[in-house]
Amino acid sequence: MEQLIAPLGIKLGIFRCLKSGVNPEFPEQGTPQGGVVSPLLANIALNGIEDIHQSVRYADDMILILKPEDDEQKILDNIKEFLGERGMNISQRKTKVTATTNGFDFLGWHFKVQNNGKFRCVPSEDNFLHFRQKVKAIVNNSNYGAKIKVEKLAPLVRGWRNYHKFCKLDGSRFSLWHINERARKVLNKEKKQTRKSVIELVKQAFPVVPYSENKFVNVKGGKSLYDGDLIYWSERNSKLYDGATSKTLQKQNHTCGYCGLKMSGEERVHLHHIDGNHNNWKTKNLVAVHESCHDYIHMSKIERREPDARKRARPDLNERGEAQ
């Protein structure tokens, strides 16, 4: 708890989770697999383990990057000692040593250093197969019509592509060309659909998500969203955007064009078109604003239009609303 940087309300909630005890009927049962509490508690308990050796960690999954001169056993002993103080140990079944040139899977990605020295990251085989099975189950389900299939496919495909947006997604496999073609053939069999409508439905079912290989911006060690360093977080989060949004943020020095405050990580960045024409993407017509500020801008426009509309509807009233 002393290492945790967070508002008092959040710290109190985590403290209560830690002190809540266990159910006597299930003494061996831990936090639910896949729940939000499990990785949170793991991050608190394992904070500082990265100092033992160069590593990459997500919750309780960790990769140690070893060089030829590193003593593997000594590093492992240090980690065991660190975990022992917290009542934990290493899973021997899940621990293995492999060369980066052979490749390895981590969090649904497959990492590999090629013979030419270039680093490559692609969706792992298991992750891709699991995703394909979900898509196949929706496409082949005879209980769903074409529109329902599209409604179910779109968020699934968009989520998968967003998760892997920093991978190498070239080629027909990861661009989902074969899955796309299979869906088109199935939708084309429906009597109500035409060739043109099917093409449009497939576009909706497989939305395009831009990707940029290895462009993810790591968070500096020891940084927290609650440490009050708005300058660091606004600049770091700005780098996660691309295209017109990225250029506009840089031009505005990572501040909101409406309220003037720094762009924190808690709110999405929106691009506002000054002239109201969403087809006008000229640099001078774009302003990067907070999502809430964008709402205020459009709300104020509606409020300005409403009095004008009332005045036109009641021409017999003067400016003070009095009958003439």
Side-chain angles (χ1 to χ4, degrees):
M1 289 301 300
E2 290 175 358
Q3 297 178 38
L4 183 60
I5 302 172
L8 182 61
I10 294 177
K11 292 186 77 169
L12 182 61
I14 294 170
F15 179 77
R16 286 173 176 169
C17 285
L18 292 169
K19 301 296 286 185
S20 61
V22 296
N23 190 327
E25 297 179 9
F26 305 98
E28 301 299 323
Q29 183 174 319
T31 54
Q33 185 72 23
V36 294
V37 176
S38 179
L40 173 65
L41 298 181
N43 278 329
I44 297 171
L46 299 177
N47 184 43
I49 197 171
E50 296 90 350
D51 298 334
I52 295 174
H53 190 76
Q54 185 180 5
S55 61
V56 179
R57 181 172 65 85
Y58 182 85
D60 59 345
D61 291 322
M62 186 167 64
I63 296 171
L64 295 170
I65 303 168
L66 303 176
K67 296 179 180 179
E69 63 270 17
D70 290 329
D71 187 341
E72 170 198 335
Q73 192 56 47
K74 183 181 178 181
I75 294 170
L76 249 141
D77 291 341
N78 290 337
I79 290 174
K80 285 179 180 177
E81 184 181 349
F82 179 94
L83 294 175
E85 295 173 359
R86 291 155 175 78
M88 294 182 285
N89 52 39
I90 295 175
S91 171
Q92 298 295 335
R93 181 176 61 86
K94 296 180 180 179
T95 304
K96 67 175 183 177
V97 180
T98 184
T100 54
T101 50
N102 294 334
F104 59 91
D105 291 348
F106 183 62
L107 302 177
W109 296 300
H110 182 75
F111 299 93
K112 185 176 182 179
V113 175
Q114 299 179 150
N115 295 330
N116 59 5
K118 288 186 177 181
F119 176 79
R120 282 285 176 264
C121 170
V122 296
S124 68
E125 186 73 23
D126 290 342
N127 179 275
F128 181 73
L129 289 175
H130 186 60
F131 165 73
R132 193 173 68 177
Q133 286 171 359
K134 286 184 176 180
V135 174
K136 191 176 180 180
I138 295 172
V139 171
N140 294 337
N141 194 323
S142 58
N143 294 325
Y144 298 151
K147 291 185 177 179
I148 296 177
K149 288 179 181 179
V150 169
E151 289 174 1
K152 290 181 176 293
L153 282 172
L156 177 66
V157 174
R158 187 183 292 107
W160 185 84
R161 281 180 163 160
N162 270 318
Y163 185 78
H164 297 292
K165 68 184 296 185
F166 298 109
C167 286
K168 183 178 175 62
L169 296 178
D170 295 342
S172 60
R173 188 183 195 194
F174 295 133
S175 66
L176 309 182
W177 186 88
H178 294 288
I179 300 176
N180 191 307
E181 188 66 13
R182 168 63 183 166
R184 186 189 64 78
K185 290 179 179 178
V186 172
L187 295 178
N188 202 36
K189 291 179 181 178
E190 293 200 11
K191 295 180 180 178
K192 295 181 180 179
Q193 301 302 327
T194 63
R195 185 170 176 269
K196 186 178 179 180
S197 66
V198 167
I199 293 173
E200 188 60 34
L201 286 172
V202 170
K203 284 182 181 178
Q204 295 175 21
F206 293 87
V208 177
V209 175
Y211 68 93
S212 51
E213 186 183 3
N214 301 335
K215 295 296 183 181
F216 182 77
V217 183
N218 288 329
V219 176
K220 288 183 180 178
K223 297 302 293 181
S224 167
L225 284 172
Y226 303 110
D227 60 11
D229 192 350
L230 287 177
I231 294 176
Y232 167 78
W233 285 107
S234 61
E235 292 182 359
R236 182 260 172 187
N237 293 336
S238 296
K239 294 175 182 176
L240 297 178
Y241 292 93
D242 51 17
T245 307
S246 177
K247 292 177 182 177
T248 309
L249 282 169
Q250 291 177 14
K251 186 179 71 174
Q252 296 175 196
N253 195 24
H254 312 287
T255 58
C256 175
Y258 182 77
C259 66
L261 298 176
K262 286 286 187 181
M263 296 290 192
S264 64
E266 299 176 0
E267 227 179 324
R268 287 189 60 81
V269 176
H270 281 200
L271 273 183
H272 173 63
H273 295 74
I274 297 172
D275 64 357
N277 181 9
H278 286 194
N279 294 322
N280 184 1
W281 287 87
K282 291 181 179 180
T283 307
K284 292 181 180 179
N285 190 47
L286 301 176
V287 180
V289 294
H290 291 111
E291 184 177 9
S292 57
C293 290
H294 203 195
D295 293 337
Y296 278 122
I297 292 170
H298 287 285
M299 283 170 63
S300 61
K301 284 183 177 180
I302 293 171
E303 288 172 358
R304 283 199 300 269
R305 284 199 299 267
E306 283 180 350
D308 293 340
R310 287 197 296 268
K311 195 177 290 185
R312 288 193 298 271
R314 298 285 303 277
D316 57 326
L317 299 180
N318 60 24
E319 290 181 358
R320 290 181 298 174
E322 300 170 344
Q324 295 180 351

